[in-house]
Amino acid sequence: QFQQATTAIYNFWLYDLCDVYLETSKRIFYKGTPEQVAAARATLYTCLDTGLRLIHPFMPYISEELWQRLPRSAGETAPSLVVRNSLHVFRHWTATHTPLAQYPQDSTTWRDDKLDAQMSFVKNVIHTARSVKDTYLESKAKPAVYLKSTEPLTDYLDMIEDLVGCSELHVNVDVPLGTAVGSVGEKCEVHVLVKGLVDPVQEMNRLKKKRDQVEHNVSQLKEKIDKHSEKVPEHVQLSNTQKLVGLQAELATIDTAIDNFSKLAL
């Protein structure tokens, strides 16, 4: 399972640690209380230490070099990152010499399924907002963003604002005309204010083409669902039903956007 292991570690370093945690920590390091800064620093250290141990069997030299530059945590006596049982060649060594660093073990202590689901949703909101923004605006632009969400977002507003790069962030308020729209399934509409920056007629034509494609996907999925039999596993049936709900929500979002741009074109 070499590919699965390397992909999981790669995704952790790039998409979780660098893209999200480091970026959202900047606000804490600059403006947080001493307690918040200490907590963020401790979490970052744990991520770096654990991440380097994880990657060591695959990239031994660079991970060892970086780990040697980290300060040692309390109780850490290993002089090297060469991890116990990571390679057969080290087993005799660890039995007869100074104990080496332990490879991370799976633990439910750091696992919170509810929090994981919330973070996954928030990351999808951020991705959608950035995608809509990049479609219409320059990367450095900071538009106003409006979210219509059925999921609570209060605890994540600073994170969303920082990672999207917006001048204003509003949640569940009236949305003005002139917004481009994206959707996160049936749970959230993401509106980015682009009034005066796009041609309404051209945008309506683009959205109508997109609507035709989504409508085609809905039709195909409905046919597949209608053909479900007792032989189709329950989890497959549930997945298809959830996909259909998401596509129907996307259709509604596109219709809202078309209506908004049609009013601007008058």
Side-chain angles (χ1 to χ4, degrees), residues 141-158:
K142 292 185 176 293
V145 174
Y146 297 80
L147 305 176
K148 304 284 283 188
S149 177
T150 60
E151 295 289 316
L153 292 172
T154 304
D155 293 338
Y156 306 98
L157 296 183
D158 287 344

Side-chain angles (χ1 to χ4, degrees), residues 206-220:
R206 189 188 72 83
L207 287 170
K208 287 175 181 177
K209 290 180 181 179
K210 183 177 180 180
R211 190 188 193 287
D212 290 341
Q213 180 60 52
V214 175
E215 202 165 33
H216 176 69
N217 293 341
V218 168
S219 178
Q220 285 188 322

Side-chain angles (χ1 to χ4, degrees), residues 217-233:
N217 293 341
V218 168
S219 178
Q220 285 188 322
L221 192 55
K222 283 183 175 179
E223 288 182 10
K224 183 183 293 187
I225 291 175
D226 290 340
K227 294 178 181 179
H228 280 171
S229 66
E230 294 180 357
K231 296 182 180 180
V232 178

Side-chain angles (χ1 to χ4, degrees), residues 171-182:
V171 180
N172 293 336
V173 300
D174 292 336
V175 178
L177 293 178
T179 61
V181 188

Side-chain angles (χ1 to χ4, degrees), residues 7-25 43-44 47-48 54 116 119-120 123-124 159 163:
T7 298
I9 296 171
Y10 177 88
N11 288 342
F12 166 74
W13 273 98
L14 182 61
Y15 299 120
D16 292 332
L17 182 57
C18 295
D19 278 2
V20 178
Y21 189 75
L22 282 179
E23 292 301 318
T24 55
S25 296
T43 301
L44 179 58
C47 289
L48 292 174
L54 285 171
D116 282 345
M119 278 302 304
S120 179
K123 288 168 67 175
N124 286 335
M159 177 190 301
L163 296 185

Side-chain angles (χ1 to χ4, degrees), residues 30-248:
Y30 290 140
K31 301 179 180 179
T33 65
E35 293 78 12
Q36 291 173 328
V37 171
R41 184 183 292 114
T43 301
L44 179 58
Y45 176 86
T46 300
C47 289
L48 292 174
D49 178 68
T50 303
L52 290 172
R53 293 171 190 252
L54 285 171
I55 208 171
H56 184 72
F58 311 100
M59 301 175 67
Y61 299 109
I62 191 170
S63 57
E64 176 70 39
E65 178 68 24
L66 293 173
W67 191 77
Q68 290 296 339
R69 296 169 186 263
L70 281 178
R72 295 292 179 266
S73 60
E76 178 60 75
T77 59
S80 173
L81 185 58
V82 179
V83 290
R84 187 191 301 272
N85 293 333
S86 63
L87 295 173
H88 293 293
V89 71
F90 296 122
R91 287 178 178 169
H92 174 69
W93 176 276
T94 58
T96 58
H97 294 73
T98 303
L100 303 179
Q102 291 288 340
Y103 196 74
Q105 302 297 312
D106 185 28
S107 172
T108 58
T109 304
W110 293 352
R111 186 174 299 159
D112 187 327
D113 292 337
K114 182 178 180 180
L115 187 58
D116 282 345
Q118 290 175 347
M119 278 302 304
S120 179
F121 172 69
V122 171
K123 288 168 67 175
N124 286 335
V125 171
I126 292 168
H127 174 77
T128 301
R130 292 177 66 166
S131 178
V132 173
K133 174 184 167 183
D134 291 344
T135 299
Y136 298 97
L137 308 172
E138 297 180 355
S139 59
K140 294 183 179 180
K142 292 185 176 293
V145 174
Y146 297 80
L147 305 176
K148 304 284 283 188
S149 177
T150 60
E151 295 289 316
L153 292 172
T154 304
D155 293 338
Y156 306 98
L157 296 183
D158 287 344
M159 177 190 301
I160 296 172
E161 186 175 340
D162 288 344
L163 296 185
V164 172
C166 53
S167 59
E168 304 172 26
L169 180 63
H170 306 277
V171 180
N172 293 336
V173 300
D174 292 336
V175 178
L177 293 178
T179 61
V181 188
S183 64
V184 182
E186 74 278 12
K187 295 181 178 180
C188 184
E189 289 183 3
V190 179
H191 299 257
V192 178
L193 189 62
V194 296
K195 184 177 182 180
L197 301 174
V198 299
D199 182 344
V201 175
Q202 184 177 350
E203 182 55 22
M204 280 192 295
N205 291 334
R206 189 188 72 83
L207 287 170
K208 287 175 181 177
K209 290 180 181 179
K210 183 177 180 180
R211 190 188 193 287
D212 290 341
Q213 180 60 52
V214 175
E215 202 165 33
H216 176 69
N217 293 341
V218 168
S219 178
Q220 285 188 322
L221 192 55
K222 283 183 175 179
E223 288 182 10
K224 183 183 293 187
I225 291 175
D226 290 340
K227 294 178 181 179
H228 280 171
S229 66
E230 294 180 357
K231 296 182 180 180
V232 178
E234 185 176 347
H235 73 274
V236 174
Q237 296 184 39
L238 178 61
S239 175
N240 286 335
T241 301
Q242 291 174 338
K243 288 179 183 178
L244 180 60
V245 172
L247 287 172
Q248 290 172 331

